[in-house]
Amino acid sequence: MFPEERRQKLISALEEHYSMSVSGLAERLGVSEATIRRDLNELQKLGVIRRTHGGALLASPRKFEPTYTDKKDRFLVQKQKIGRVAAGLVEDGETVILDAGTTTLQMVRHLKEKKNITVITNALSIIEEMEANEELDLVVIGGRLRFSTRALVGPMAEENLRNFHADKVFIAANGCTIKEGLTTPNLTEAYTKRAMVKAGSKVIAVLDHSKFGEVSLTTIAPLTEIDVIVTDDGIDKKLQKEMEQMGIEVIIAE
């Protein structure tokens, strides 16, 4: 079992029982107590859990993760606008990474109008949308398939991403706040998204207004690592100003 998978199972155990001892977690996961302690230390650094005497509990309740099907039609008009504007940031000849998400999917048909574009992605929906277009150079990140989000994730995906360098990375998230940055409910998916962020010269978050003010289980990246946010006009203007004061370019898709 890969460390990310084991840590996700550890989190699931804490969600079920709220608080568990190191020995109880070790028995449940079939690993040594030393391994559990290392995992807990890592998860505590990420802000996912809080250590207790002899055990741990979740730092905050985990929020429900909607499936791809649940999300694909939600705020569709706004996502279409965001996708068009985000695609407009891509120049001919560039290499871009497209994260799995219903908003990044909306970029694809506009990217088809570009010349000599290389698209690196872990999203089945984007692969399916692009597969018939011979004008675009498509690179698929391998990994374990998460059926709920239709994304290839995990250590294989992260290792592949370490071999790439992209001009721009377009990242999706379930939540965004000034304090917590970009967040997502699944730890394994968060690690893959972090590898994407590290692989790009410019990081662009594509988020409809419903994601702002929301916090999911674990942080993908702090806002200090985000260069541009493309969103819709439903964003809170005060929050927009705060992010702009941080040096983030906020683009409103209209």
Side-chain angles (χ1 to χ4, degrees), residues 141-161:
I141 301 167
R144 181 172 60 84
L145 177 64
R146 290 198 72 223
F147 289 95
S148 60
T149 57
R150 306 191 75 198
L152 295 163
V153 298
M156 185 185 296
E158 294 159 38
E159 180 61 32
N160 287 341
L161 283 161

Side-chain angles (χ1 to χ4, degrees), residues 70-190:
D70 292 330
K71 295 187 293 184
K72 68 185 181 69
D73 294 325
R74 190 168 183 243
F75 300 113
L76 180 58
V77 172
Q78 289 90 337
K79 290 175 181 178
Q80 289 171 336
K81 291 178 180 179
I82 293 168
R84 174 181 53 78
V85 171
L89 301 177
V90 179
E91 304 290 338
D92 290 344
E94 287 191 327
T95 296
V96 298
I97 294 175
L98 297 188
D99 184 18
T102 53
T103 306
T104 48
L105 175 62
Q106 296 301 325
M107 294 178 60
V108 175
R109 67 185 181 92
H110 302 288
L111 289 178
K112 291 176 182 178
E113 302 166 3
K114 306 287 182 177
K115 296 179 181 179
N116 301 318
I117 295 295
T118 297
V119 173
I120 302 168
T121 189
N122 67 330
L124 286 193
S125 56
I126 291 175
I127 295 165
E128 291 166 356
E129 183 70 23
M130 291 181 61
E131 63 182 356
N133 192 309
E134 297 181 0
E135 298 299 317
L136 293 171
D137 186 12
L138 176 63
V139 178
V140 178
I141 301 167
R144 181 172 60 84
L145 177 64
R146 290 198 72 223
F147 289 95
S148 60
T149 57
R150 306 191 75 198
L152 295 163
V153 298
M156 185 185 296
E158 294 159 38
E159 180 61 32
N160 287 341
L161 283 161
R162 280 192 280 271
N163 295 317
F164 296 124
H165 179 79
D167 297 292
K168 296 182 175 81
V169 175
F170 293 86
I171 203 85
N174 294 75
C176 178
T177 65
I178 297 291
K179 181 180 178 182
E180 306 295 342
L182 302 183
T183 56
T184 192
N186 184 270
L187 186 63
T188 304
E189 202 146 333

